[in-house]
Amino acid sequence: MAFFAKGRIFVAAAAAVFGLATAAQAAGSCGKNGAGFDAWKQQFAAEAQANGVGQKGLSALASATYATRTIAADRAIHKAFSGSVEAFMKRRGGAAIISRGRALKKQNAAMFDRIEQTYGVPPGVLLAIWGMETGFGASMGNQNTVSAIVTLAYDCRRPDYFTPHAIAALKLVDRGALSASSVGAMHGEIGHTQFLPGNVLKYGVGSGNLRDRNTALASTANFLKGHGWQAGASYEANMGAIAGWNSASVYQQAIARIAEAIDAN
């Protein structure tokens, strides 16, 4: 599960980063079911346009549908991060991630060397995140991305958090990096390492196509560097950067343990 306040952006920070209105200025009120979604979309379109979304993005917004599966997944999200780190790693296949990660590190040594030279981030943590998020690209999700993220911006649970990412998703449609039919994870995450749309805009490198493996891994390294990664330091010293990726303690500990095991090989 990719989302648990990954790359957490609080309301004030979101407004500063994405140039968005605050919650009090938002175009429409939130909802707790799909009943008011279409009316809200019409109001949200004006907010999106005011924040730089063009015609392609607005068209994708108009075609978005209320994502009931996303809401169901969101309501169950804390359960996925419960228990001890040992139990979490067992549920998520930590041993298999380590084994496959070691093999991929050797097979792609030149790529990982380039990434580390550029961003100061070693292969272990990138492979740990890649394996944890999508099983090394095997499962990048089948939920419509625009519908998922727009539904979460509408939903009353955390509209302030998701509104900047919804605007970002529509801007990515304008740029051609997404389309109205693009699919990803349940909370609108994209690609091999499951970036939320706002983080694609801020940390995506090269083409910004996170469904391309090399781009996704380099972008993940750029994200970690942007969150304070210290080149050459221990994983313990870099837990703050890992916490920027995901705020769940068991996830952070699991990533550090898996990364250390991969890098030790």
Side-chain angles (χ1 to χ4, degrees):
M1 174 124 9
F3 171 77
F4 187 78
K6 179 196 311 164
R8 181 175 294 278
I9 304 173
F10 294 100
V11 180
V17 172
F18 296 105
L20 298 179
T22 63
Q25 298 169 312
S29 58
C30 66
K32 296 184 178 180
N33 55 51
F37 184 63
D38 287 338
W40 175 88
K41 282 197 305 176
Q42 294 178 28
Q43 296 175 313
F44 188 62
E47 182 179 353
Q49 190 169 25
N51 283 283
V53 174
Q55 192 53 52
K56 288 183 180 179
L58 293 173
S59 178
L61 172 62
S63 66
T65 58
Y66 185 76
T68 54
R69 291 194 302 145
T70 288
I71 294 300
D74 187 61
R75 299 300 183 261
I77 197 161
H78 287 278
K79 190 175 182 180
F81 295 93
S82 62
S84 67
V85 64
E86 291 79 12
F88 178 76
M89 288 180 66
K90 185 174 181 179
R91 290 198 305 270
R92 301 296 288 269
I97 293 172
I98 291 168
S99 177
R100 179 66 174 148
R102 286 172 171 169
L104 286 167
K105 177 184 171 183
K106 291 177 181 177
Q107 292 166 16
N108 300 278
M111 177 190 68
F112 284 113
D113 285 346
R114 285 194 301 272
I115 291 174
E116 186 165 11
Q117 288 170 14
T118 303
Y119 302 102
V121 178
V125 66
L126 301 177
L127 286 156
I129 290 172
W130 187 20
M132 184 75 74
E133 297 289 359
T134 66
F136 304 106
S139 180
M140 289 189 274
N142 59 7
Q143 173 65 52
N144 182 277
T145 298
V146 173
S147 291
I149 204 71
V150 169
T151 295
L152 291 166
Y154 161 75
D155 184 61
C156 286
R157 189 165 178 226
R158 290 186 308 287
D160 294 325
Y161 179 81
F162 282 107
T163 293
H165 291 296
I167 296 289
L170 301 180
K171 288 182 176 180
L172 290 171
V173 173
D174 284 332
R175 296 182 182 189
L178 288 178
S179 73
S181 60
S182 292
V183 297
M186 283 296 174
H187 285 80
E189 307 96 331
I190 301 164
H192 280 267
T193 55
Q194 303 287 269
F195 268 59
L196 285 167
N199 292 332
V200 177
L201 283 184
K202 189 171 183 182
Y203 299 105
V205 302
S207 67
N209 175 15
L210 277 297
R211 295 186 75 85
D212 173 73
R213 179 198 65 176
N214 293 20
T215 302
L217 293 170
S219 298
T220 305
N222 191 38
F223 180 102
L224 293 169
K225 181 181 178 181
H227 284 75
W229 188 274
Q230 301 174 51
S234 67
Y235 280 103
E236 182 178 357
N238 278 305
M239 288 301 286
I242 297 172
W245 184 265
N246 191 299
S247 65
S249 177
V250 291
Y251 183 104
Q252 297 162 22
Q253 294 174 64
I255 289 297
R257 291 188 188 185
I258 292 169
E260 286 178 339
I262 293 172
D263 281 341
N265 183 260

